Amino acid sequence: MGMTISEKIIAKACGRETVTPGEIVTCQVGLAMFHDSSGPRRQAPALKELGRDVWDPDKVVCITDHYVPAVDALSAEILKITRDWCAEQGITNFYDQQGICHVVLPERGHLHPGLFAVGGDSHSPTGGAFGAFMIGIGATDMTGVLATGEIWVQVPHTIVVRWSGALAPTVTAKDMMLALCARIGLNGAGYKVVEFMGEAVTALPMDERMVLPNMTAEVGAKTGIIAPDQVTLDYLAGAGAATEGALDWFSDDDCVYEQVLEFDADALSPQVAAPHSPANSKGVETYNGVRVDQAYIGACTGAKLADLHMAAEVVRGKKVAKTTRFMVAPASTRITQAAAKDGTLETLTEAGAILLPSGCGACAGLGAGVLAEDEVCISSTNRNFQGRMGASSAKVYLASPYTVAAAAVAGRIADPREFVSAGALSP
Amino acid sequence: MSGGRAWVYGDDINTDVLYPGAYLKGPIEEAAKHCLEAIDPTFVPNVRKGDIVVGGENFGIGSSREGAAEVLLMHGVPVVLAKSFARIFYRNAFNVGLVALVCKDTNRIAKGDDLNIDAAAGTVENKSKGETYSCETVPPHLMEIVNDGGLVPHLKKRFGRTS
């Protein structure tokens, strides 16, 4: 009997020929990533207590993104602890204020197909876009990994999400994931791997593919994964990542999937998730006209270069509504650089966008752009749980960068298809 | 064995509700004061040592922040019962010494019910209703971690043994 790509990666990591869903195995960790919030401030004292150093500094990547740049003494102190500890432990893969961990990690060539990786953040499944098996873990679990280089996992069952057809202009990977959240709910893939496939998935560029496993966190999955192909290889080569044997990682024809969910990309329209759950997603027309105080382009999900391009297409030559704040926090400094070079930042700022630093920012309720009581925000981020982006009574609607930008211009939730003609879209 | 009054909540109790992001930066003691505040402001002022938090499906969905499990423990809650748990929360709970038990009958438990829980045996006795529910068995390696007081003390023991 064949294995899924996830089972193959787990089997290799635990030194076995085969594994079966439900088994508990101990895996050797190929890469451990954490950030300033989940990282050294938590692990340093615990490792000291254990009398251990990091098992293999070359397999560790630390990225500051939650408290950047420091806005008060408390956040400055957390960042200082992070920097000092990385220096002390000889962590050379340390990216300080370079962007959000899930975006910086692949950008700097740390991910490749077949890699078994753990991340100290719930959106770590993003790594699955590159054919890695990457799961999110908590701080003490990370301490265990750093001390031993290994972690126990239960081999998950795999659910297939297959998108046939082709997405219409202004319909995006984000809309695909909001539709999935609505269909299967916040626990629809509990403990499972979601493997994405189908022609609408393989047609996506890497920036868009990343959104799919990223938001498997919103359906309770252990992780998400996409089998690597030429698009993946081209990205990896550009990032200086390992590409050898990359295409050897795929699910066998005779592997066992627990369930196959079919979706039709041709029928998908721009989606909007109402407060306070990503599963409250419906077609944009349902929420048309809802007034917004803020439109936010940010986070690991919705502020990559492709996302900034989408927003720019909508606002080009227009002005942001007077009653709405339009905030853009590019997901990494490299993205900012590229968007500056290709004119995207000019388009956005001429329309009235306010640029914010690269980091988790308002999405995690930590950085610039948080909301006051009862304020309404439409956001390209991944979750809209109550109180997440600021005040407890603030209302956050989730949508694609196109739909967020359309709301910024209209001052209310609006259909992005009315703002962008198909011919105007960049390739 | 643990026993106490039940605090009953619904499905998808998320980590922002358990540990609001706004308090991530500061000391956990401050965050603990706001645990569950968004959905039940009566919890923090009234919870007592030994009380049990009861959820529906997908308890602890959201962030990987371990404080979401830790704050319950700080309020004296030794056990969370739910029909299912979000996977990171489940791992975090045992890693910090909080028992997370999967019990499909949590909808039979009402707020304030007097519960008696035997995690090792996998039973919940509802003394207020005179009923007993069974829970899924906790994998032995997790029971060992929680009995040692969490992953760090557990590793300490393991390293002590091997070195």
Side-chain angles (χ1 to χ4, degrees), chain A residues 23-74:
Chain A
E23 276 186 287
I24 290 173
V25 295
T26 299
C27 291
Q28 301 299 312
V29 173
L31 179 136
M33 182 275 291
F34 45 78
H35 49 61
D36 45 334
S37 188
S38 70
R41 63 194 283 226
R42 320 267 183 203
Q43 281 98 40
L47 283 173
K48 198 158 273 177
E49 197 186 329
L50 291 171
R52 292 273 160 147
D53 286 326
V54 168
W55 98 104
D56 185 349
D58 290 342
K59 289 187 173 147
V60 172
V61 182
C62 178
I63 299 167
T64 60
D65 60 8
H66 273 58
Y67 303 106
V68 300
V71 291
D72 53 21
L74 220 48

Side-chain angles (χ1 to χ4, degrees), chain B residues 15-36:
Chain B
T15 52
D16 283 292
V17 162
L18 290 162
Y19 196 112
Y23 304 100
L24 267 176
K25 198 156 54 178
I28 190 165
E29 291 75 14
E30 190 55 36
K33 292 180 194 162
H34 303 277
C35 176
L36 290 163

Side-chain angles (χ1 to χ4, degrees), chain A residues 24 37-38 41-42 46 49-50 52 66-67 71-72 74-75 78 120-122 135-141 143-144 147-148 150-153 186-187 191 217-218 220-222 364-366 383 385-388 392, chain B residues 12 14-17 19-27 37-39 57-58 61-66 70 84-88 90-92 95-96 102 139 141-142 145 150-153 155-156 158-159 162-163:
Chain A
I24 290 173
S37 188
S38 70
R41 63 194 283 226
R42 320 267 183 203
E49 197 186 329
L50 291 171
R52 292 273 160 147
H66 273 58
Y67 303 106
V71 291
D72 53 21
L74 220 48
S75 47
I78 294 169
D121 190 276
S122 62
I135 57 172
I137 59 173
T140 300
D141 248 347
T143 299
T148 65
E150 56 185 45
I151 190 168
W152 70 268
V153 289
L186 292 186
N187 198 26
Y191 301 110
E218 274 56 68
K222 180 170 236 133
L366 297 166
R383 48 176 77 123
F385 297 145
Q386 191 168 2
R388 179 172 174 85
S392 180
Chain B
D12 303 318
N14 68 68
T15 52
D16 283 292
V17 162
Y19 196 112
Y23 304 100
L24 267 176
K25 198 156 54 178
E37 182 181 70
I39 57 164
E57 299 286 356
N58 206 21
I61 178 77
S63 157
S64 64
R65 66 189 68 149
E66 196 167 77
E70 256 178 302
S84 62
F85 288 92
R87 56 164 292 277
I88 301 181
Y90 185 77
R91 294 183 73 109
N92 286 346
N95 285 340
V96 300
V102 176
H141 74 288
L142 284 182
I145 288 172
L151 183 64
V152 171
L155 285 175
K156 217 173 183 175
R158 182 175 134 191
F159 293 155
T162 53
S163 63

Side-chain angles (χ1 to χ4, degrees), chain A residues 267-317:
Chain A
L268 187 65
S269 63
Q271 303 285 301
V272 172
H276 298 285
S277 166
N280 292 341
S281 295
K282 292 193 171 75
V284 60
E285 63 282 357
T286 312
Y287 305 110
N288 238 337
V290 172
R291 209 187 56 77
V292 298
D293 299 297
Q294 180 169 314
Y296 184 79
I297 300 279
C300 48
T301 311
K304 294 165 268 84
L305 188 60
D307 301 313
L308 303 191
H309 286 165
M310 293 176 201
E313 293 295 347
V314 172
V315 304
R316 175 167 292 128

